Amino acid sequence: MISIEKGYVDEPIEEGIDVRSEIMRLKKEKNAVIMAHYYQRPEIQDIADYIGDSLALAQMAAKSEADVIVMCGVHFMGETAKILCPDKKVIVPDMSAGCSLADSCPAQEFAEFVKQHSGYTVISYVNTSAAVKAYTDIVVTSSNAKQIVESLPKEEKIIFGPDRNLGNYINSVTGREMLLWDGACHVHEQFSIQKIIDLKKLHGDAKVLVHPECRKPVQMIADKVGSTQALLNFAIDDECSTFIVATESGILHEMQKRCPQKTFIPAPPEDGKCSCNECAYMKLITLEKLYNSLKYELPEISVDEEIAKKAIKPIKRMLDISANLGIIKK
Ligand code: 13P
Ligand code: SF4
């Protein structure tokens, strides 16, 4: 019996095998597809069939023809894929890959909050559990939140959860007054304004790229505020050659690959000696765990049928609106 007690398959890797080629072989044999978020380790991004931000991963899962989806990301990303593809096997190589933002919004408390505000349209960020999505009218990601909010009538009363920074940002760019849930991502809230300003002094012509999950003062010193994908697109298109990047540092791998002649400097967090800011959950997934998860097809994501039936509606609504608004990936 294979144990996944630790959250992943803890089996020794056979001596002398080449893990990368074995992953490729197993993938073919099982008609599996590997999807990875931009915050994954470089070696995971490199071996994946698709890399993307939260929106792209949901879009890719929805149209996948594979039998097995290996989601190299965090738990809610696996859940979203499973809800969209109930007949496929969805695997997350380490089930302990959670999300502090999703954890800041417990389903029962959110349900109570929604109940207290009847008549409100409920918008939830994709970084939530399936149970929270079940209480939601429309799911959004940071790539489409502005357009989806703007697609609703001006007078519509809206609850937005769980990220207060993204919610405040969307309020400021749309002129809405959405009621916000008080949650946050521990990684994006950590960036140090002072350290970014110091880096700016060192690299005079550098532009500052900031994710909207960051605190407002950090957003205020940005040249560009946007989702992970939007920041990548900006770095590719802009003529500037140096960028200070205030989002999870995994994205620097793709930025550097796409723009080998440009310089990308990770923005440092407030505390610690680290010069970049990593999501410990995202980094839990390693090549060895990916290999074992494919080999044993474990650990598998499952979502309660009743919850999935409710949660699929707001996710599909997001995908439909995104397609209608032409929010497509590069
Ligand atoms: P995006 O992928 O939508 O930019 O979200 C960032 C994030 O924190 C994912 O966990
Ligand atoms: Fe969650 Fe933040 Fe990690 Fe994204 S970076 S998975 S929001 S904890």
Side-chain angles (χ1 to χ4, degrees):
M1 181 78 171
I2 301 300
S3 162
I4 49 164
E5 213 173 290
K6 292 183 177 169
Y8 57 91
V9 175
D10 189 22
E11 287 290 308
I13 307 288
E14 303 90 313
E15 232 174 90
I17 67 155
D18 177 46
V19 174
R20 281 184 179 79
S21 32
E22 278 303 296
I23 290 173
M24 301 309 277
R25 185 187 64 74
L26 285 168
K27 207 179 67 173
K28 231 180 179 174
E29 184 185 298
K30 293 170 187 260
N31 188 27
V33 65
I34 301 174
M35 299 183 184
H37 191 272
Y38 286 130
Y39 300 169
Q40 289 289 296
R41 294 168 184 270
E43 61 273 25
I44 299 288
Q45 294 188 44
D46 288 343
I47 206 161
D49 298 295
Y50 300 104
I51 48 168
D53 68 351
S54 308
L55 175 61
L57 293 179
Q59 287 171 323
M60 289 180 298
K63 60 180 188 207
S64 170
E65 282 176 4
D67 295 318
V68 179
I69 296 177
V70 186
M71 184 59 77
C72 297
V74 294
H75 190 267
F76 75 80
M77 294 173 180
E79 266 189 348
T80 305
K82 181 67 187 175
I83 292 166
L84 285 165
C85 314
D87 301 330
K88 296 188 196 305
K89 200 171 244 190
V90 178
I91 292 164
V92 172
D94 190 336
M95 282 289 189
S96 351
C99 169
S100 62
L101 177 52
D103 290 346
S104 70
C105 189
Q108 276 321 309
E109 288 174 35
F110 191 68
E112 202 46 51
F113 184 68
V114 169
K115 207 166 132 196
Q116 281 164 13
H117 299 91
S118 65
Y120 279 70
T121 295
V122 182
I123 297 187
S124 292
Y125 198 23
V126 71
N127 300 43
T128 46
S129 64
V132 166
K133 290 183 178 81
Y135 295 110
T136 296
D137 296 306
I138 317 175
V139 168
V140 297
T141 75
S142 49
S143 271
N144 58 23
K146 177 174 177 282
Q147 289 92 331
I148 289 181
V149 168
E150 279 174 340
S151 74
L152 300 175
K154 264 234 168 294
E155 59 287 355
E156 192 138 336
K157 292 193 288 182
I158 301 171
I159 285 176
F160 185 94
D163 193 89
R164 57 173 175 254
N165 296 315
L166 176 64
N168 274 318
Y169 173 72
I170 300 297
N171 272 343
S172 73
V173 293
T174 60
R176 308 277 173 129
E177 287 178 7
M178 301 186 298
L179 199 54
L180 307 183
W181 183 265
D182 194 19
C185 155
H186 75 297
V187 177
H188 285 92
E189 281 230 311
Q190 268 291 315
F191 288 107
S192 158
I193 309 157
Q194 193 49 53
K195 289 180 187 172
I196 297 174
I197 291 170
D198 292 347
L199 277 174
K200 263 290 260 187
K201 281 186 197 148
L202 265 177
H203 306 272
D205 55 352
K207 286 193 176 169
V208 180
L209 309 180
V210 173
H211 197 283
E213 286 172 27
C214 296
R215 288 169 296 145
K216 181 148 190 203
V218 176
Q219 292 181 21
M220 284 171 74
I221 55 169
D223 294 284
K224 168 77 185 171
V225 178
S227 65
T228 313
Q229 184 67 45
L231 299 183
L232 173 63
N233 294 349
F234 186 87
I236 293 168
D237 295 339
D238 197 76
E239 76 291 343
C240 185
S241 63
T242 308
F243 298 91
I244 299 162
V245 186
T247 188
E248 212 274 356
S249 57
I251 186 60
L252 269 74
H253 181 64
E254 183 65 11
M255 286 178 167
Q256 204 63 79
K257 253 172 117 172
R258 300 284 289 269
C259 314
Q261 74 291 4
K262 297 186 182 181
T263 305
F264 297 98
I265 305 162
E270 207 72 74
D271 57 358
K273 294 146 220 92
C274 216
S275 61
C276 67
N277 207 355
E278 288 190 342
C279 173
Y281 296 119
M282 286 280 185
K283 300 308 194 246
L284 280 175
I285 294 169
T286 61
L287 269 185
E288 288 71 23
K289 287 180 190 170
L290 168 57
Y291 165 71
N292 268 338
S293 71
L294 245 179
K295 182 174 172 188
Y296 296 102
E297 300 184 22
L298 286 169
E300 193 184 342
I301 291 273
S302 67
V303 182
D304 174 89
E305 225 173 282
E306 280 310 303
I307 289 179
K309 234 192 261 172
K310 291 180 186 156
I312 194 162
K313 292 181 193 158
I315 300 173
K316 280 232 165 116
R317 209 165 153 197
M318 166 184 81
L319 293 176
D320 290 345
I321 299 176
S322 296
N324 292 342
L325 294 173
I327 305 163
I328 39 161
K329 304 278 115 210
K330 267 204 161 184

